[in-house]
Amino acid sequence: MLTDKLAELRLARNLTHKDMADKLGITRQGYGNYESGKRTIDSATLKKIADILDVDTDYLLGRTSVPRASADESGLAFYGGPDKYSPDEIEVMEAALKAYREQKKRLLEDRHS
């Protein structure tokens, strides 16, 4: 299942094995072995692949059918739930989280360019 998703997502983004290998800092054959299932993907590499393909690791692992958690999901349950905050506070927190995610994505793209 993981190998099928890797190929599907890579092709949907018009990336070659070499593109993925270059972004991961490994050989083309090394990446090919991940996609073919000949080599197990360690957790650090799985995180990098998820970032490159812009999906959650749970999606790659088949734990969810949603490629990326909705941007509307604030994750406020971790902090006691949204009922603990005013609408203004939630709006500020969501804006800060969105800005952080965009900055992280840009940094990753810059690192891999």
Side-chain angles (χ1 to χ4, degrees):
M1 184 186 258
L2 171 63
T3 57
D4 294 337
K5 283 190 192 242
L6 289 178
E8 174 188 326
L9 291 165
R10 176 181 57 77
L11 292 171
R13 285 157 180 74
N14 296 316
L15 296 169
T16 65
H17 280 198
K18 181 162 178 16
D19 294 331
M20 291 296 293
D22 290 346
K23 291 175 183 291
L24 292 168
I26 61 175
T27 65
R28 187 213 50 80
Q29 183 180 5
Y31 177 77
N33 287 337
Y34 288 147
E35 201 169 287
S36 68
K38 292 179 182 174
R39 185 170 177 201
T40 303
I41 303 172
D42 62 86
S43 60
T45 302
L46 183 66
K47 288 177 192 176
K48 289 178 187 177
I49 291 171
D51 287 341
I52 293 165
L53 298 174
D54 194 30
V55 296
D56 291 331
T57 55
D58 279 351
Y59 180 74
L60 291 176
L61 295 171
R63 296 183 58 173
T64 181
S65 60
V66 179
R68 171 106 29 219
S70 170
D72 294 335
E73 293 179 17
S74 63
L76 293 175
F78 180 79
Y79 297 103
D83 58 326
K84 302 286 184 188
Y85 302 98
S86 72
D88 289 340
E89 289 173 317
I90 291 172
E91 187 176 330
V92 169
M93 286 187 278
E94 288 176 340
L97 181 58
K98 182 180 178 185
Y100 167 77
R101 287 178 175 161
E102 289 172 359
Q103 180 183 18
K104 181 179 174 186
K105 184 178 178 181
R106 280 193 304 273
L107 288 171
L108 287 170
E109 288 170 353
D110 289 347
R111 219 181 284 161
H112 298 293
S113 337

